[in-house]
């Protein structure tokens, strides 16, 4: 796809040498071959919940959840913990109109009344847990956010595993495939696209985790709980692969990617501008 194809690889490379799977092909078969090359790895389905969504305010990880499977999907372990709120986060949460308070409501933080440990202890334990498996690869829905938050917030150990962004598989392969099939009158694809709808000023097909799950008949009632999101991510990945394998000789029409590429470029420029602004204000905390 050339220089315009956005994979966030440069950002991830700054985070302790993280290796991200690139999606610089329009051939479904190429993608499947790359995924098949991971057959000897342990798949770690991973998600975080946080006290916010930007770095210009107090931020911490409030929940880490993961399921470990072999490449065939057989479960071999799980991790699911919520962290105790740090003092500055707890103080910000006292204001019901604050961004922190709203984020905690969305991810239902207060619903879990179990004993919560210190954030840094949980982060360290999670890195050890991931590294206890042979050849781990992290499968995440929206890799850059979770990896950057983790490796920014963690004061001790960093995540250095190879990553596979399930959201990019949806955006650059599965959704365009449904669009191409719908153009040919495929009833299932038309129904899927109707359920996904469109979002944003660019009028792109919706690609949030909950929408993708709903379009594939996967329960999304536990969305915004990290463990629920992990289960959804695993479920939609398997279903999307079935579609991609069925149509593996199809080449994705670049026209169906053009809007997504433009949106990614716009986001990248805006993200860079915001980071420069925050650095000048002294609020930028990404290491």
């Amino acid at each position: 796809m050339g220089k315009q194809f956005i994979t966030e690889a440069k950002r991830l490379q700054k985070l302790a040498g993280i290796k991200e799977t690139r999606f610089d092909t329009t051939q479904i078969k190429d993608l499947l071959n790359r995924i098949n090359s991971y057959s000897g790895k342990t798949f770690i389905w991973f998600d975080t919940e946080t006290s916010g969504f930007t770095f210009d305010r107090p931020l911490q990880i409030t929940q880490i959840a993961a399921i470990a499977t072999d490449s065939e999907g057989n479960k071999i372990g799980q991790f699911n913990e919520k962290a105790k709120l740090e003092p500055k986060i707890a103080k910000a949460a006292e204001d019901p109109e604050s961004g922190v308070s709203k984020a905690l409501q969305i991810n239902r933080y207060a619903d879990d009344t179990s004993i919560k440990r210190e954030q840094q202890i949980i982060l360290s334990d999670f890195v050890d847990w991931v590294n206890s498996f042979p050849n781990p690869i992290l499968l995440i829905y929206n890799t850059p956010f979770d990896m950057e938050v983790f490796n920014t917030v963690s004061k001790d150990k960093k995540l250095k595993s190879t990553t596979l962004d399930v959201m990019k598989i949806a955006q650059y392969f599965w959704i365009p495939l449904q669009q191409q099939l719908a153009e040919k009158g495929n009833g299932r694809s038309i129904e899927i696209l109707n359920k996904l709808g469109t979002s944003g000023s660019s009028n792109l097909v919706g690609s949030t985790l909950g929408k993708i799950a709903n379009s594939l008949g996967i329960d999304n009632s536990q969305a915004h709980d990290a463990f629920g999101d992990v289960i959804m991510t695993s479920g939609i990945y398997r279903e999307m692969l079935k579609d991609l394998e069925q149509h593996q000789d199809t080449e994705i029409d670049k026209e169906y990617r053009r809007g997504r590429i433009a949106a990614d470029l716009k986001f990248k420029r805006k993200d860079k501008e915001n980071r420069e602004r925050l650095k000048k204000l002294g609020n930028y905390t990404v290491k």
Side-chain angles (χ1 to χ4, degrees):
M1 291 295 294
K3 293 182 180 179
Q4 285 190 321
F5 189 80
I6 301 303
T7 64
E8 287 86 22
K10 289 184 179 179
R11 180 194 298 182
L12 292 175
Q13 287 171 359
K14 294 178 181 179
L15 301 178
I18 296 164
K19 298 178 181 178
E20 183 187 32
T21 300
R22 297 178 65 89
F23 299 112
D24 51 1
T25 177
T26 56
Q27 300 283 348
I28 292 177
K29 188 173 290 185
D30 290 343
L31 171 68
L32 295 176
N33 287 338
R34 190 171 300 164
I35 289 173
N36 288 336
S37 72
Y38 297 144
S39 61
K41 291 183 176 290
T42 303
F43 281 26
I44 307 289
W45 308 89
F46 165 55
D47 187 53
T48 65
E49 297 297 333
T50 66
S51 61
F53 308 103
T54 64
F55 289 92
D56 60 347
R57 65 187 65 183
L59 182 70
Q60 79 160 90
I61 290 176
T62 56
Q63 183 184 10
I64 295 178
I67 294 174
T69 72
D70 60 25
S71 57
E72 300 301 315
N74 299 305
K75 184 177 177 180
I76 54 179
Q78 75 175 50
F79 189 104
N80 184 20
E81 286 206 48
K82 289 189 177 180
K84 184 186 301 183
L85 294 184
E86 296 186 336
K88 61 183 178 181
I89 303 299
K91 182 173 180 59
E94 291 176 0
D95 177 3
E97 298 302 317
S98 70
V100 170
S101 182
K102 290 176 181 178
L104 296 178
Q105 290 173 21
I106 290 172
N107 61 38
R108 300 187 293 280
Y109 177 84
D111 291 353
D112 185 350
T113 58
S114 63
I115 296 175
K116 301 176 177 69
R117 297 191 296 153
E118 297 292 338
Q119 174 189 217
Q120 294 301 324
I121 294 174
I122 293 173
L123 298 180
S124 179
D125 285 353
F126 180 70
V127 173
D128 291 341
W129 180 81
V130 170
N131 292 335
S132 72
F133 296 99
N135 301 315
I137 178 171
L138 301 174
L139 291 92
I140 310 169
Y141 205 85
N142 192 9
T143 295
F145 179 80
D146 290 282
M147 293 299 285
E148 184 168 359
V149 167
F150 191 102
N151 285 334
T152 296
V153 171
S154 180
K155 296 178 180 178
D156 182 15
K157 302 172 183 176
K158 310 293 183 181
L159 285 172
K160 300 182 181 181
S161 302
T162 299
T163 65
L164 179 60
D165 195 334
V166 179
M167 184 176 76
K168 290 302 182 188
I169 294 177
Q171 292 177 333
Y172 283 91
F173 292 93
W174 184 75
I175 288 175
L177 173 63
Q178 301 308 321
Q179 291 175 297
Q180 290 177 219
L181 294 175
E183 286 286 339
K184 297 177 181 179
N186 185 293
R188 176 175 177 270
S189 295
I190 292 172
E191 182 179 355
I192 284 174
L193 293 174
N194 284 337
K195 288 182 178 180
L196 291 175
T198 57
S199 59
S201 59
S202 53
N203 209 35
L204 295 173
V205 174
S207 60
T208 62
L209 177 58
K211 283 189 173 182
I212 298 285
N214 179 60
S215 74
L216 288 168
I218 295 171
D219 180 26
N220 64 1
S221 62
Q222 296 304 307
H224 304 300
D225 172 87
F227 196 71
D229 286 348
V230 162
I231 294 173
M232 277 194 290
T233 300
S234 174
I236 69 168
Y237 173 85
R238 303 295 176 190
E239 292 302 314
M240 288 193 301
L241 279 196
K242 289 178 184 178
D243 284 345
L244 294 172
E245 287 169 353
Q246 183 179 351
H247 300 279
Q248 61 182 283
D249 293 325
T250 300
E251 179 176 3
I252 298 301
D253 190 330
K254 293 181 181 180
E255 281 300 314
Y256 293 114
R257 281 184 166 182
R258 200 173 303 279
R260 190 74 64 182
I261 292 171
D264 281 348
L265 283 169
K266 182 178 179 181
F267 174 81
K268 184 179 181 181
R269 286 195 296 268
K270 185 175 181 181
D271 187 50
K272 182 179 180 180
E273 291 170 359
N274 285 339
R275 287 164 185 275
E276 291 301 321
R277 176 178 60 81
L278 294 174
K279 283 181 180 179
K280 290 179 180 179
L281 293 173
N283 294 333
Y284 186 78
T285 58
V286 177
K287 298 180 176 67

